[in-house]
Amino acid sequence: MYKVSIDKFEGPFDLLVYLLENAKMDIYDIKVSEITEQYISYLKEMEDLNIEVDTEFIVLAAVLIRLKSHMLLPRVTETGEIMIEEDPREELKGRLLEYVRTKKLAEMLAEREEYFMAVHEKPAEDMSEYTENPDEILSVSDEQMVNAFIMFLTRKKKVEEVSERYQRVRRRKETIEARIEYMTDRLERKFREGKGRVSFTELLPEKADRFDITLSFMSLLSMIRNQGYDAEQKENFGEITVKRKIDAVTGKEQMDV
């Protein structure tokens, strides 16, 4: 039995490639019967968990079942001779290879995007003022040299101070799903400690910035809609508190699942 998570796969071919790799099966020599059973078992597990199965997953399941049946039943002529025909797995193999190539290319492009996000180019400047004029020998006094050196040290110190206080902003890629898992864990720990209500600020990560606050608030809305929690704010811009919803029928708190 293969137990896998649906959100790990971007589509049916992603799942199929995972099953092949997990079974250490070569794309060029797919054991159709075995891989079809694993694929169908996965779809049944989704149904048992009440997870809606996309149509594209079902279409690929039908293709695998048809291919399995085709390989189990030998093709014979009217005289009873077995027909030798092209391997029926060829089309599936070709589509899988194309998918793997496309996925690797997408991963490479994502890595390049991440790399170039940290690269900043400075526009070209007109240097003719310095390249076309002859060198000049500066004639300065000792006092002027000392003042220039002090100015250099002062500017250097300011640059170091700015570097300590600020850092370059880069795109954050944390998902709402990950933040929901983090906040749910903190909520349930607070509830187990005996707290009936938990403030929204207690659910934020340490040193939370605007991105963290916005992501946490969006995650809280999703938790209220789907996970049996409720929130209350007694006044505008006041503190938000989170608690478990009260079941209208039983009058008891709904437990998160």
Side-chain angles (χ1 to χ4, degrees):
M1 175 70 71
Y2 287 79
K3 292 186 176 180
V4 289
S5 173
I6 181 62
D7 57 6
K8 182 177 181 179
F9 305 109
E10 299 175 356
F13 280 101
D14 203 24
L15 168 60
L16 191 56
V17 170
Y18 167 82
L19 293 176
L20 290 171
E21 292 177 347
N22 199 61
K24 297 181 179 178
M25 196 178 299
D26 193 343
I27 291 180
Y28 292 93
D29 186 23
I30 301 174
K31 296 178 177 61
V32 177
S33 180
E34 178 182 339
I35 209 66
T36 300
E37 291 178 3
Q38 294 177 11
Y39 188 91
I40 298 300
S41 176
Y42 170 75
L43 296 187
K44 288 181 179 178
E45 183 176 349
M46 290 170 59
E47 292 178 353
D48 293 340
L49 296 174
N50 293 323
I51 299 175
E52 184 178 353
V53 180
D54 290 343
T55 304
E56 55 186 1
F57 282 87
I58 299 175
V59 170
L60 182 57
V63 171
L64 289 172
I65 293 172
R66 179 177 60 80
L67 186 58
K68 176 183 175 181
S69 302
H70 188 84
M71 295 191 68
L72 290 175
L73 299 175
R75 307 282 291 185
V76 296
T77 63
E78 295 179 357
T79 60
E81 297 179 352
I82 297 178
M83 297 174 58
I84 299 176
E85 56 182 18
E86 183 181 355
D87 190 339
R89 299 173 296 179
E90 282 297 315
E91 181 181 354
L92 178 62
K93 180 187 72 176
R95 294 175 66 182
L96 277 172
L97 290 173
E98 184 65 25
Y99 174 80
V100 171
R101 283 194 293 267
T102 302
K103 185 176 181 180
K104 288 183 178 179
L105 180 60
E107 291 173 351
M108 183 271 290
L109 291 175
E111 291 175 0
R112 297 295 292 172
E113 178 190 17
E114 184 72 17
Y115 171 78
F116 282 109
M117 283 176 60
V119 177
H120 298 274
E121 297 183 355
K122 183 177 182 295
E125 297 182 7
D126 182 10
M127 305 296 292
S128 59
E129 178 183 355
Y130 308 99
T131 58
E132 296 176 0
N133 295 327
D135 294 338
E136 295 183 5
I137 299 177
L138 298 178
S139 177
V140 295
S141 64
D142 293 341
E143 182 179 357
Q144 290 175 317
M145 284 291 295
V146 170
N147 290 337
F149 185 66
I150 292 174
M151 184 179 298
F152 164 76
L153 293 178
T154 302
R155 290 182 177 177
K156 183 174 181 295
K157 183 179 179 181
K158 288 182 178 179
V159 170
E160 291 175 348
E161 290 176 350
V162 170
S163 299
E164 290 177 359
R165 295 184 181 182
Y166 300 93
Q167 59 182 353
R168 183 170 50 205
V169 176
R170 298 188 64 184
R171 185 172 62 183
R172 305 277 290 276
K173 291 191 174 181
E174 184 176 359
T175 63
I176 288 182
E177 289 77 10
R179 182 55 59 89
I180 287 176
E181 182 178 351
Y182 170 82
M183 293 173 63
T184 300
D185 180 67
R186 299 201 67 169
L187 264 176
E188 293 304 320
R189 264 190 290 161
K190 296 290 184 181
F191 290 152
R192 287 194 293 270
E193 292 170 1
K195 296 190 69 172
R197 294 171 178 266
V198 180
S199 67
F200 175 69
T201 53
E202 292 181 82
L203 305 178
L204 297 175
E206 294 184 7
K207 299 181 180 179
D209 55 17
R210 290 185 179 180
F211 175 87
D212 287 311
I213 295 172
T214 303
L215 182 62
S216 296
F217 184 73
M218 293 173 63
S219 301
L220 177 61
L221 294 179
S222 179
M223 292 165 64
I224 292 172
R225 183 173 62 252
N226 302 321
Q227 293 184 256
Y229 295 108
D230 204 350
E232 182 180 29
Q233 186 182 44
K234 294 184 177 180
E235 58 183 1
N236 291 339
F237 308 107
E239 181 63 86
I240 299 173
T241 57
V242 185
K243 62 179 181 178
R244 287 199 179 100
K245 284 183 179 178
I246 303 299
D247 192 291
V249 178
T250 63
K252 297 181 179 179
E253 291 182 343
Q254 296 181 11
M255 300 299 291
D256 179 49
V257 291

